[in-house]
Amino acid sequence: QVYREIRKETGISPVHFLYMPKKMHLKEYEINGEQGRAVLLYDYNGYTIQYSMYMNDEDSSHGYIEIDNLINEYTLMTVEGMEVNIKEYDVVNQGNHRFTAKFEYQDVQYQLNGLMEKEKFDKIIENLSFY
């Protein structure tokens, strides 16, 4: 239902998750049709996982201030052959790692960001479905 609403409000045909860990569920979302962007917030074991998408625009910028320590960068291939760049960060004052995946598809920028086990994060990325 959320993906249909995103498509209707923004014109974006969202890239879908074919896999989500059992304890991950959508808790809230925001769609801004004027800006052509949507942000979905998931809960996973008490942590927030953010999945955002926005239309490309010469004036747009979408980023985060990185206060955590970058410890790894790598690329994964999705089930449909798309390359996704991933950064792994050591989170300050935590024993967990934060992952950020960025990719572009049909002139839409996507970002998945959150604290999660590497294997589960990678499995989400490897199983993205492009419509």
Side-chain angles (χ1 to χ4, degrees):
Q1 172 191 341
V2 173
Y3 290 133
R4 282 192 295 266
E5 191 175 335
I6 291 169
R7 186 176 9 258
K8 180 181 172 188
E9 297 290 324
T10 66
I12 295 172
S13 294
V15 173
H16 294 243
F17 298 154
L18 293 178
Y19 165 82
M20 282 194 333
K22 289 183 182 181
K23 294 181 181 180
M24 185 171 153
H25 64 275
L26 183 66
K27 64 180 183 176
E28 64 183 270
Y29 63 94
E30 177 186 330
I31 301 170
N32 187 320
E34 287 182 18
Q35 293 182 352
R37 85 180 194 45
V39 177
L40 286 71
L41 299 176
Y42 294 86
D43 180 78
Y44 177 69
N45 287 334
Y47 295 109
T48 298
I49 307 297
Q50 181 178 323
Y51 182 44
S52 49
M53 54 198 81
Y54 61 97
M55 299 297 288
N56 273 339
D57 183 342
E58 290 179 12
D59 296 327
S60 72
S61 64
H62 187 75
Y64 296 92
I65 297 173
E66 303 294 355
I67 58 171
D68 301 327
N69 299 317
L70 177 65
I71 59 172
N72 192 16
E73 291 185 66
Y74 58 100
T75 301
L76 287 177
M77 295 291 284
T78 68
V79 81
E80 298 190 27
M82 172 77 82
E83 286 189 0
V84 177
N85 297 315
I86 300 170
K87 292 183 179 180
E88 180 180 1
Y89 296 88
D90 186 29
V91 179
V92 176
N93 298 323
Q94 293 252 351
N96 297 313
H97 289 178
R98 179 172 55 85
F99 294 88
T100 300
K102 296 180 183 180
F103 60 97
E104 182 178 340
Y105 181 69
Q106 294 184 341
D107 292 327
V108 178
Q109 297 291 321
Y110 291 87
Q111 185 171 37
L112 180 64
N113 184 37
L115 287 146
M116 180 178 284
E117 299 89 348
K118 182 181 187 315
E119 298 78 23
K120 291 186 179 178
F121 190 87
D122 288 354
K123 190 170 181 179
I124 291 171
I125 298 303
E126 291 169 340
N127 289 282
L128 292 173
S129 179
F130 299 85
Y131 286 84

